[in-house]
Amino acid sequence: MTETDIAASPFLDFPDLPNLRDAGAGVYRPGLLFRSASLNRLTSEGLSRFAELGVRTVIDLRSLAEIENWPDPELGPDVRYVHLPMLPDPATTDRAWPEDQAALYPFMAETGGMAIVAAVRALSAGSPVLVHCAVGKDRTGLTVAVLQTLAGLAETAVVADFLRSNVGLGLDKGPVPYFDEAGVERLSRPVDELHLRSALARIHDLHGSLDAYLLNHGATEAELAALRALGPS
């Protein structure tokens, strides 16, 4: 799949679920890997339409405080919910998240290995997976970039798909204000190619390869092989 093809692939029109799209990017079969913002705003109509996607595992990368304030709705007995924070949870550690995105991305690479492995493990089973965080661009973006890279998508195409979150979230014209879980007004900032590349580079700096990074955080060789076998054919 080319960068042009990725840019042309549609967002799924759920007004209560921003940035929802199939993230297979031509390296996974359609309908296998989805990404989005938090599911907490899904209406009854949205829940009905979500069920039609066939998602069987939801990977939630948010903190405990985010989940307590904006819990995902019940998605039914056929959907497995997995919560693994991508970043150190403020409820259990005093290790603060960097405010600056340039520092946040390599930090996520350092702290998010177990959460990314949860997504690898779920996807390697071969049933549809959705990955989300709060806004659906940074934590979700890095996780999906790893999954796409593992399946052989070229880095230029991985970056092109990553940058589509700016359009999907209305950030293509600049930052957008929002209120965090503590009621503090903040700015949601556009994603940046250099930030993603810095996170991927940090993974290689620390572990030598993407495979080693995942194996060191609990993935198995069998899971990586199974994931790579989930091509579009």
Side-chain angles (χ1 to χ4, degrees):
M1 177 172 278
T2 68
E3 292 179 43
T4 301
D5 293 331
I6 288 172
S9 61
F11 289 94
L12 300 177
D13 185 19
F14 281 45
D16 46 7
L17 186 53
N19 204 26
L20 173 63
R21 62 191 196 265
D22 190 316
V27 287
Y28 295 112
R29 65 176 183 264
L32 187 63
L33 174 61
F34 295 94
R35 60 174 295 172
S36 72
S38 170
L39 309 183
N40 69 290
R41 292 192 290 175
L42 279 173
T43 62
S44 57
E45 178 187 354
L47 282 168
S48 177
R49 292 179 61 192
F50 184 85
E52 294 172 1
L53 295 177
V55 169
R56 290 296 172 262
T57 303
V58 170
I59 306 291
D60 189 340
L61 304 173
R62 297 177 297 164
S63 69
L64 284 172
E66 289 172 308
I67 289 172
E68 288 170 358
N69 279 274
W70 302 303
D72 280 1
E74 290 292 331
L75 298 171
D78 295 331
V79 181
R80 184 170 65 105
Y81 174 81
V82 178
H83 170 232
L84 270 174
M86 181 90 171
L87 291 161
D89 202 311
T92 59
T93 180
D94 59 1
R95 192 176 181 190
W97 306 355
E99 291 283 344
D100 177 63
Q101 277 191 310
L104 177 66
Y105 272 76
F107 184 79
M108 285 195 297
E110 294 171 12
T111 65
M114 290 183 64
I116 294 174
V117 166
V120 168
R121 181 165 293 127
L123 189 61
S124 71
S127 59
V129 173
L130 178 133
V131 179
H132 82 82
C133 50
V135 180
K137 63 184 180 71
D138 299 313
R139 288 169 283 186
T140 299
L142 177 56
T143 301
V144 168
V146 169
L147 295 172
Q148 292 173 340
T149 302
L150 276 173
L153 190 63
E155 188 167 310
T156 54
V158 170
V159 169
D161 192 48
F162 169 77
L163 292 174
R164 295 188 68 226
S165 288
N166 289 333
V167 175
L169 294 165
L171 295 167
D172 46 325
K173 297 178 177 62
V176 174
Y178 73 100
F179 289 95
D180 69 12
E181 69 277 6
V184 177
E185 186 174 22
R186 299 184 181 275
L187 287 177
S188 182
R189 300 184 182 279
V191 294
D192 186 287
E193 173 180 350
L194 294 179
H195 297 159
L196 178 62
R197 289 186 184 276
S198 73
L200 297 175
R202 185 63 175 156
I203 286 172
H204 283 267
D205 289 345
L206 291 174
H207 298 271
S209 69
L210 197 54
D211 281 25
Y213 173 74
L214 296 168
L215 293 170
N216 290 342
H217 284 95
T220 67
E221 294 279 8
E223 287 168 342
L224 300 187
L227 185 147
R228 288 183 166 120
L230 297 172
S233 59

